[in-house]
Amino acid sequence: MRILFLGDIFGRPGRKAIAAKVKVLREELSLDLVIANGENGSQGVGLSIKNAQQLLESGIDLLTSGNHIWKFSNIYAFLKTSERIVRPANLPEGTRGRGWTSFIVRGQVPVAVINLQGRVFMNPVECPFKCADKILEEIDPEIKIRIVDFHAEATSEKQCLGRYLDGRVSAVLGTHTHVQTNDARIFENGTGYITDAGMCGPVESCLGLSPNPVIKRFVTGLPQKWKVASGPSELQGVLLEIEEETGLTVSIETYNSGRMTV
């Protein structure tokens, strides 16, 4: 199975790049499945229900998310009712939405997608390691392909979860930092891994934002008004090939669309 996993979609530039490119990529790369993190899809922080539906109509099969998903309250009902969007599973019991989901690809191959959030340098949540153990006990053993989006800040926490789950999931793919890392690999027991898949959005930016206010914040220490950057955008992520019978990754490589004006 060929899967394209795309990093955090940032604001309108990211959404426009997704709309312009993903359906084309499905054909060009012979993709069976496209997953993307959408938590910054609206104004750079959060995701509205309108923008979530636009992204899903643009060729994305499933949206993962993270700590910013809660900004727009109209997404709450969508999180509860839709099986095409997940939020971090290790949030307190009773939180709206689902932390993992499963579905059928090509009419016959079951796939599970798990969303987890890190604890280092982030708001307190339940242990992602123990939460992953619990979810894996719940997932039907017949579902061999299991993708984990680990939305976390610390590289050490991401690498440790990847190794902790090695051989038990198909891939552990980091999101949140918006900077694509150069460590795509397959661990010893067959789990594909990258510390961060990167970002889908404006190239000339600071993590998607117009650089000047961000720089001024660092220099002065004073609050600034953020603005989504403009100019060319790019899509970043990873392309995976996963063996359907075993659920193990046989190939993983970074993906970058290159600059495009949309």
Side-chain angles (χ1 to χ4, degrees):
M1 179 173 293
R2 291 175 61 82
I3 299 173
L4 178 64
F5 180 92
L6 295 170
D8 297 48
I9 301 167
F10 198 90
R12 182 177 295 174
R15 299 197 311 271
K16 292 177 70 175
I18 290 289
K21 194 72 174 176
V22 169
K23 288 184 179 179
V24 175
L25 287 175
R26 295 192 76 110
E27 296 296 326
E28 290 182 348
L29 301 177
S30 300
L31 300 174
D32 298 301
L33 182 64
V34 179
I35 305 168
N37 188 296
E39 72 142 12
N40 296 303
S42 300
Q43 302 175 23
V45 181
L47 183 65
S48 70
I49 187 171
K50 176 183 177 181
N51 292 157
Q53 291 170 334
Q54 289 174 339
L55 290 171
L56 292 171
E57 291 169 0
S58 296
I60 294 172
D61 296 296
L62 181 83
L63 290 167
T64 57
S65 62
N67 57 307
H68 290 143
I69 190 62
W70 310 105
K71 179 180 179 181
F72 295 91
S73 58
N74 65 9
I75 198 69
Y76 294 2
F78 194 60
L79 284 166
K80 184 177 181 179
T81 58
S82 176
E83 295 184 358
R84 297 183 66 189
I85 183 169
V86 290
R87 49 79 174 164
N90 52 325
L91 296 178
E93 185 176 350
T95 301
R96 297 192 186 194
R98 66 200 75 210
W100 71 276
T101 190
S102 62
F103 48 94
I104 302 296
V105 177
R106 296 201 310 264
Q108 58 182 348
V109 184
V111 175
V113 176
I114 304 167
N115 203 173
L116 295 168
Q117 183 174 314
R119 296 196 292 183
V120 181
F121 308 130
M122 299 187 74
N123 291 334
V125 290
E126 302 297 328
C127 175
F129 294 79
K130 293 180 180 178
C131 183
D133 286 337
K134 181 180 178 182
I135 292 171
L136 292 178
E137 290 178 356
E138 298 173 1
I139 293 178
D140 188 332
E142 294 301 313
I143 303 178
K144 303 297 184 182
I145 299 179
R146 305 169 178 186
I147 307 295
V148 178
D149 175 344
F150 190 28
H151 198 76
E153 183 79 24
T155 55
S156 57
E157 188 179 21
K158 290 180 178 181
Q159 288 189 351
C160 285
L161 184 72
R163 294 188 181 280
Y164 183 72
L165 297 178
D166 183 21
R168 296 195 284 160
V169 301
S170 305
V172 175
L173 309 172
T175 58
H176 180 64
T177 66
H178 295 200
V179 177
Q180 189 180 56
T181 54
N182 192 31
D183 62 342
R185 68 185 69 180
I186 301 174
F187 286 141
E188 181 179 356
N189 296 312
T191 292
Y193 173 83
I194 191 169
T195 297
D196 203 283
M199 183 188 77
C200 299
V203 178
E204 300 300 336
S205 69
C206 286
L207 309 186
L209 296 170
S210 181
N212 287 339
V214 182
I215 294 170
K216 192 172 182 180
R217 170 67 181 269
F218 278 116
V219 173
T220 67
L222 299 176
Q224 305 295 322
K225 184 176 181 179
W226 305 136
K227 180 183 178 181
V228 175
S230 57
S233 292
E234 64 185 0
L235 303 182
Q236 296 179 343
V238 288
L239 180 63
L240 303 118
E241 291 190 20
I242 298 175
E243 176 61 49
E244 296 176 10
E245 287 74 18
T246 64
L248 300 179
T249 294
V250 296
S251 173
I252 179 172
E253 59 185 53
T254 55
Y255 171 79
N256 191 311
S257 67
R259 295 178 179 226
M260 53 183 172
T261 301
V262 293

